[in-house]
Amino acid sequence: MTNTPSRTGKRQIRRDIYKLIIPSVLQNFLEIGITLLTTAIIGRLMAYDISAKGVSERIVQFDWALFRGLGTGAMLIFAHAYGAGKLKKCKEIAAQAYLICIPLAIVFVAVVCCCPRFLLELMTDEGEVLTRAIPYLKVLVLSSPFTAIMSVNTAIFNGSGDTKTPMFIAIAMNAVNVVGCLVLVFGIGPFAGFGLMGSAAALIFSKALAAGLGVWLIYRRKGVFREVREHVQHLRLDPAVAKEVFGGGLPVAGETLFWQFSTIVVSRAILSYGSDTYAAYLLGMQAETLLQAPTYGFSVAAMTLCSFAIARHNDRLYRDYIRQILLMAVVVALITTPMLAFGSTFFMTMLTDKAELIAIGAGYVSMMAIGQPALAVSPAINGVLRAANHKKIPMISTALGIWLVRVPIIALTAFVFKGSIFIVWFAISVDQLVRLAISGGFFLRRRVQDTVLKQQEQE
């Protein structure tokens, strides 16, 4: 069998990829755009408020890391089952994913509410920041159960090849979030607003809306399981399915958690340069994230489409998906890298009107251009690795990049040598390049693109 697709075949492959990537990219642009708007709103408050929001979100993002991982694990086995036409199993997988994630979210809320000061003091000991962050964190963490439900919802939609519905849900959620943030932060008419606390309330309400809407769209009569008439027989945890979800999800969660744990060290290091530097760093990260919106689409497309091809034992389709997705990732890298390098001041001006924060943040954004090619290509490669059952490699590359490059260089620079903040920014970019080298090296050396052929030989 030839591995060279016809012109018609190439067009179909591109359509398959675009069908998944475009809605996913638009969804990410929407979410990031709204995050930029809400960040810009908070950016008009005091630097202490920005820092309090940042350190609180670092704590709450631990749940996002966990549920993103478990959602990815559920999506992988869901996509394999969906690609093989096992729709009844898909419904069972979905039920098990909810049973796993929602109780974990409730436990997370309880832990954070019991010891918010202890958790925040891991990142900063600045009194003004802690004063604002403790009450903010107690409210913000209440969004965790909705984050869990949204992660499972997205896994189900993406695993069935539907990235449009999550995009429309994101539109609704983000519209509610930005309007709620404007009203609840600054007030309207005689209502004076709640300041920083208003942004937390707006986020909780918008996530609750998105979670409920997603569940309804999945289980309605014309939803994802419209062809499955049987109900799930029991609502208790199935160890076999749970093992599959954790097996696929924990490496992804571990990958993100390694980064989250590193933020404790990184945040303390950057805060040692002052609250203005940390606030500028948080704003700069939002600008950088805007240009990373397409990369998550590549990851979803690689995991879903490669899983479909593997389930169908279609080697040519599998290879063509890999080739086209990597090509698209390289094109994105060529576009976004100069935008970061030369547009840093423009991005920062959108986020804050404070000149001192713009100057510091622009330095961070321009330095991130060094690692931008890796940030664009790595998600595509890691998506293929996960679909090909090499789920631990992205986690290992992340752990090595963060704990052997990013954290040691930043800690030594900030706490030992008292060096320039630009060395800290440089370490973050180099970390991304190291991760790509590890994942890419494994991808090429182990010939992951031969996964289907190897599977056929084993059978």
Side-chain angles (χ1 to χ4, degrees), residues 164-347:
K164 288 184 180 179
T165 302
M167 179 188 70
F168 290 124
I169 293 173
I171 291 173
M173 179 185 78
N174 290 319
V176 170
N177 187 22
V178 72
V179 172
C181 194
L182 282 168
V183 172
L184 295 177
V185 170
F186 294 119
I188 184 170
F191 173 60
F194 299 115
L196 180 63
M197 299 296 292
S199 68
L203 182 65
I204 292 170
F205 185 74
S206 63
K207 283 193 173 185
L209 173 67
L213 182 58
V215 171
W216 177 73
L217 290 172
I218 289 168
Y219 287 99
R220 64 177 179 152
R221 188 181 298 274
K222 295 182 180 181
V224 175
F225 304 115
R226 57 187 175 275
E227 298 178 16
V228 184
R229 301 302 177 191
E230 300 91 338
H231 294 287
V232 177
Q233 296 299 316
H234 51 79
L235 286 177
R236 62 176 182 271
L237 197 63
D238 185 331
V241 177
K243 183 178 179 181
E244 287 188 84
V245 172
F246 279 108
L250 285 182
V252 182
E255 177 187 350
T256 312
L257 285 170
F258 279 132
W259 181 82
Q260 292 288 4
F261 281 117
S262 75
T263 61
I264 296 174
V265 179
V266 172
S267 294
R268 288 194 71 92
I270 296 174
L271 276 164
S272 71
Y273 290 88
S275 291
D276 282 354
T277 300
Y278 186 67
Y281 162 69
L282 295 174
L283 295 171
M285 277 186 27
Q286 297 301 326
E288 176 196 9
T289 302
L290 178 64
L291 297 184
Q292 293 174 16
T295 64
Y296 183 69
F298 294 133
S299 177
V300 170
M303 283 189 287
T304 302
L305 294 175
C306 289
S307 293
F308 285 175
I310 291 170
R312 295 165 185 166
H313 296 82
N314 192 327
D315 175 65
R316 189 179 74 178
L317 189 62
Y318 174 72
R319 288 168 175 263
D320 291 338
Y321 281 146
I322 294 174
R323 188 180 299 113
Q324 291 297 325
I325 291 170
L326 288 178
L327 177 62
M328 292 176 189
V330 170
V331 171
V332 168
L334 293 174
I335 295 171
T336 56
T337 299
M339 290 177 69
L340 279 176
F342 303 110
S344 56
T345 301
F346 168 76
F347 287 122

Side-chain angles (χ1 to χ4, degrees), residues 418-434:
K418 309 296 182 183
S420 168
I421 191 65
F422 285 97
I423 299 176
V424 173
W425 306 154
F426 180 72
I428 294 173
S429 281
V430 172
D431 161 37
Q432 303 294 344
L433 298 174
V434 170

Side-chain angles (χ1 to χ4, degrees), residues 13 37 85 116 141 163 177 187 205 303 363 421 448 451:
I13 288 166
L37 282 174
V141 75
T163 54
N177 187 22
F205 185 74
M303 283 189 287
I421 191 65
V448 173
T451 293

